[in-house]
């Protein structure tokens, strides 16, 4: 897989996101700033209007000439000014024909949300309005100023302020983006790129890629680098082991083929020993035949296990009760009548099928039966007298088959290596492949095989099948009529 281009790389995305986030922060800062700028602008006009109105008090007859009024109002930027003193006296300046007021803004007790809304509404205006502004004088809050003014100069001042804010925001965002980009590129992007290149190289050539050298970092990147180095070493070791096992498997397959031919010949010759006139020969012949059968079973299961790999499933709609019944019949069909348990008794087994009628699943019938057969044969060979198969349905169409026997339980050695091939056998001379194959069958279906319990009273295994496997469910699972089917030797 090729590495992404520069425009689609993590570095480019990081740069764009940094610029966008800084601009977003500047927008959040701009919102209260423009409202505050408008309020400050109006307060400055109110302060200037206060000073202009005080000129009325300086005249002898409290009257200001029209020419002076116009000059004072032009200095303030207003059409009319009223100054209300604490003693309720009013000083007034006004042009001869003041314009009609389009909007009134009262700054007394104005809150931030209202001031913000008024600021953005002013920026959105497309016509020249005349506004009336009422508020306390910044020079002396005891005085109230009422002023009529044009809104356009204030809007133009706000636009100029916004332009300065925008230019400053762009400059800050670019500077911040470059600093963050350089810092994160050195701290994260380059190490991540190195990790990515290492992963790609290991995937392309797991065994020929030079060992990945982790840095001395102690943070998460350093942990990832060391884990990648360990993973590479583990993969290389596993690949070399697989090569050795493949060569060994080829040799075992050839030996196994020849051994089975030899054992077949030995089995044919051994059957004639049962007709011998010597009582001692007839007495030991069953044990000889059992030993040969176990050797043939070892060869067959070994070949089956090494040949299967990933089990291909042929899923069909299968009635579960007949499948369990047939598996019980098959479980002892391959056992010879003269096979004996560890206590010397002949193998006999009772198969109790408690799966209800009408329960249908979509599964590979042959493979699922194979798992049940392996569990049944293991139980019989371990000394069980009865095997009971029960079913539990789960929400979502899941299913659990419980296979319980009344055998003596699993020894500690078998529990420690329960599903390990060639290591988990519970009896002397056993192969240890039955449970390993059964688990592979369940996992191929998307489920699993697990040991529920194993005591002196018996052993219970759970065959867990995934949700959606049930096609049709019986009316009341667990309460349907059941039958106990004895299987003769």
């Amino acid at each position: 897989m090729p590495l992404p281009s520069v425009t689609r790389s993590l570095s480019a995305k990081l740069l764009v996101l940094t610029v966008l986030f800084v601009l977003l922060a500047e927008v959040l800062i701009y919102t209260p700033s423009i409202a505050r700028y408008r309020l400050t602008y109006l307060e400055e006009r109110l302060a200037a209007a206060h000073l202009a109105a005080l000129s009325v008090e300086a005249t002898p007859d409290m009257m200001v000439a029209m020419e002076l009024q116009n000059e004072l109002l032009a200095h303030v930027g207003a059409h009319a000014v009223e100054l209300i003193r604490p003693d309720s006296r009013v000083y007034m300046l006004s042009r001869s024909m003041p314009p009609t007021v389009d909007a009134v803004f009262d700054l007394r007790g104005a809150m931030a949300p209202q001031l913000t809304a008024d600021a953005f509404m002013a920026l959105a205006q497309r016509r020249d309005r005349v506004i009336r502004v009422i508020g306390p004088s910044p020079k002396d809050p005891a005085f109230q100023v009422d002023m009529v003014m044009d809104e356009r100069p204030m809007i133009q001042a706000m636009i100029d302020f916004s332009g300065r804010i925008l230019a400053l925001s762009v400059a800050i965002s670019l500077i911040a983006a470059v600093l963050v980009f350089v810092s994160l590129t050195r701290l994260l992007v380059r190490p991540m790129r190195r990790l990515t290149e290492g992963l790609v190289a290991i995937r392309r050539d797991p065994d020929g890629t030079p060992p990945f050298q982790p840095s001395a970092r102690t943070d998460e990147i350093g942990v990832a680098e060391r884990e990648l180095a360990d993973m590479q070493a583990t993969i290389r070791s596993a690949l070399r082991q697989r090569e050795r096992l493949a060569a060994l498997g080829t040799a075992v397959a050839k030996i196994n083929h020849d051994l089975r031919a030899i054992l077949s010949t030995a089995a044919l010759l051994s059957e004639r020993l049962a007709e011998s006139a010597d009582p001692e020969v007839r007495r030991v012949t069953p044990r000889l035949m059992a030993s040969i059968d176990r050797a043939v079973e070892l060869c067959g299961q070994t070949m089956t296990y090494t040949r299967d790999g990933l089990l291909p499933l042929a899923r069909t709609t299968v009635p579960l009760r007949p499948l369990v019944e047939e598996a019980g019949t098959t479980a002892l069909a391959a056992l010879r009548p003269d096979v004996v348990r560890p206590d010397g008794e002949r193998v006999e087994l009772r198969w109790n099928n408690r799966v209800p009628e009408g329960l249908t699943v979509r599964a590979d019938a042959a493979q699922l039966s194979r798992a049940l057969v392996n569990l049944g044969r293991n139980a019989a060979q371990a000394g069980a007298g009865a095997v009971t198969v029960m079913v539990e349905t789960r929400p979502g169409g899941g299913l659990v088959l419980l296979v319980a026997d009344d055998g003596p339980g699993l020894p500690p050695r078998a529990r420690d290596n329960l599903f390990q091939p060639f290591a988990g056998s519970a009896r002397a001379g056993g192969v240890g492949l039955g449970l390993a194959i059964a688990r592979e069958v369940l996992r191929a279906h998307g489920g699993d095989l697990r040991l529920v319990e194993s005591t002196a009273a018996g052993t219970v295994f759970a065959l867990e099948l995934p949700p959606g496997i049930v096609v049709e469910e019986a009316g009341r699972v667990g309460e349907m009529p059941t039958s106990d089917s004895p299987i003769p030797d």
Side-chain angles (χ1 to χ4, degrees):
M1 179 184 296
L3 294 176
S5 61
V6 175
T7 57
R8 300 177 60 186
S9 65
L10 183 61
S11 302
K13 295 177 181 178
L14 183 62
L15 179 61
V16 173
L17 288 176
T18 303
V19 173
L20 291 178
F21 289 156
V22 173
L23 288 177
L24 177 60
E26 293 295 336
V27 169
L28 296 178
I29 295 173
Y30 170 77
T31 299
S33 297
I34 192 64
R36 182 62 188 173
Y37 180 84
R38 176 179 175 274
L39 177 62
T40 302
Y41 182 93
L42 293 176
E43 287 177 343
E44 289 177 353
R45 300 283 79 76
L46 291 176
H50 182 180
L51 294 176
L54 288 178
S55 63
V56 176
E57 191 175 18
T59 60
D61 53 357
M62 305 293 288
M63 293 293 293
V64 180
M66 184 57 66
E67 183 178 353
L68 180 57
Q69 287 192 50
N70 291 336
E71 186 176 348
L72 290 172
L73 291 172
H75 177 73
V76 174
H79 295 288
V81 173
E82 287 186 0
L83 178 63
I84 304 174
R85 295 170 57 93
D87 56 5
S88 299
R89 285 197 298 172
V90 178
Y91 297 158
M92 181 182 297
L93 296 174
S94 176
R95 297 185 187 275
S96 58
M97 293 294 293
T100 303
V101 174
D102 297 313
V104 178
F105 298 99
D106 192 344
L107 303 183
R108 294 171 297 183
M111 303 300 291
Q114 184 61 44
L115 293 172
T116 303
D118 291 342
F120 282 99
M121 288 178 62
L123 289 173
Q125 286 297 323
R126 292 295 178 265
R127 63 188 183 92
D128 295 336
R129 295 193 306 178
V130 176
I131 61 174
R132 179 185 175 191
V133 182
I134 305 170
S137 171
K139 299 296 183 180
D140 188 349
F143 288 78
Q144 178 179 310
V145 181
D146 190 333
M147 177 179 59
V148 177
M149 58 178 286
D150 290 326
E151 189 180 32
R152 180 53 54 186
M154 180 186 69
I155 294 176
Q156 187 59 49
M158 293 172 64
I159 293 174
D160 294 340
F161 174 77
S162 300
R164 295 193 297 271
I165 289 291
L166 177 61
L168 181 62
S169 300
V170 171
I172 292 175
S173 63
L174 291 177
I175 294 173
V178 170
L179 293 177
V180 172
F181 175 76
V182 171
S183 301
L184 293 184
T185 298
R186 294 178 62 88
L187 292 175
L188 292 178
V189 177
R190 287 183 181 175
M192 289 296 295
R193 184 181 296 121
R194 183 167 173 263
L195 281 172
T196 304
E197 292 172 351
L199 287 170
V200 172
I202 292 172
R203 185 190 67 82
R204 289 176 177 171
D205 188 3
D207 196 28
T209 304
F212 184 85
Q213 298 297 331
S215 64
R217 296 176 58 157
T218 58
D219 55 8
E220 290 81 358
I221 296 294
V223 173
E225 290 176 342
R226 287 187 289 275
E227 289 296 326
L228 177 59
D230 293 342
M231 183 187 71
Q232 183 184 18
T234 302
I235 291 175
R236 298 178 83 170
S237 176
L239 288 174
R240 291 167 183 169
Q241 184 179 12
R242 188 180 68 175
E243 292 177 356
R244 291 193 294 268
L245 289 177
L248 180 62
T250 302
V252 168
K254 294 178 180 179
I255 296 172
N256 199 12
H257 179 271
D258 296 338
L259 183 59
R260 292 188 69 180
I262 296 172
L263 291 173
S264 297
T265 303
L268 291 175
L269 295 175
S270 298
E271 289 179 355
R272 295 186 179 182
L273 294 178
E275 302 173 0
S276 173
D278 189 341
E280 182 63 21
V281 172
R282 291 198 304 272
R283 187 180 67 82
V284 301
T285 296
R287 295 183 179 179
L288 176 62
M289 295 294 294
S291 298
I292 294 175
D293 285 343
R294 285 197 296 271
V296 172
E297 178 187 2
L298 171 60
C299 294
Q301 290 194 6
T302 301
M303 289 299 297
T304 300
Y305 181 78
T306 57
R307 183 175 60 247
D308 280 344
L310 293 176
L311 294 176
L313 298 182
R315 296 179 185 266
T316 56
T317 301
V318 184
L320 191 56
R321 181 177 174 82
L323 183 147
V324 173
E325 196 74 24
E326 181 180 355
T329 303
T330 308
L332 289 184
L335 296 178
R336 298 172 57 87
D338 50 8
V339 173
V340 296
R341 297 196 185 99
D343 57 5
E345 296 293 329
R346 294 176 61 249
V347 171
E348 295 180 357
L349 185 68
R350 188 172 187 83
W351 187 268
N352 302 326
N353 184 2
R354 296 186 180 177
V355 176
E357 296 283 359
L359 183 57
T360 305
V361 298
R362 183 165 182 78
D364 188 316
Q367 296 292 356
L368 191 56
S369 175
R370 178 185 181 189
L372 291 169
V373 167
N374 285 348
L375 291 173
R377 293 181 64 187
N378 283 357
Q381 292 169 350
V387 174
T388 303
V389 182
M390 300 168 287
V391 66
E392 295 179 359
T393 56
R394 299 288 173 84
L399 191 72
V400 176
L401 283 172
L402 296 175
V403 179
D405 65 59
D406 60 352
L410 297 172
R413 184 182 65 86
R415 296 183 193 181
D416 295 339
N417 305 283
L418 194 58
F419 299 106
Q420 295 297 320
F422 308 105
S425 176
R427 62 186 175 88
V431 184
L433 285 174
L435 291 178
I437 293 174
R439 170 176 267 191
E440 284 196 357
V441 170
L442 269 296
R443 288 185 170 178
H445 281 84
D448 203 356
L449 174 67
R450 63 182 178 87
L451 175 66
V452 177
E453 63 177 3
S454 182
T455 64
T459 301
V460 180
F461 283 96
L463 288 74
E464 299 176 342
L465 292 167
I469 199 168
V470 176
V471 176
E472 182 178 351
E473 189 172 343
R476 301 180 70 182
V477 174
E479 298 185 8
M480 301 294 291
T482 60
S483 65
D484 297 343
S485 302
I487 300 178
D489 292 330

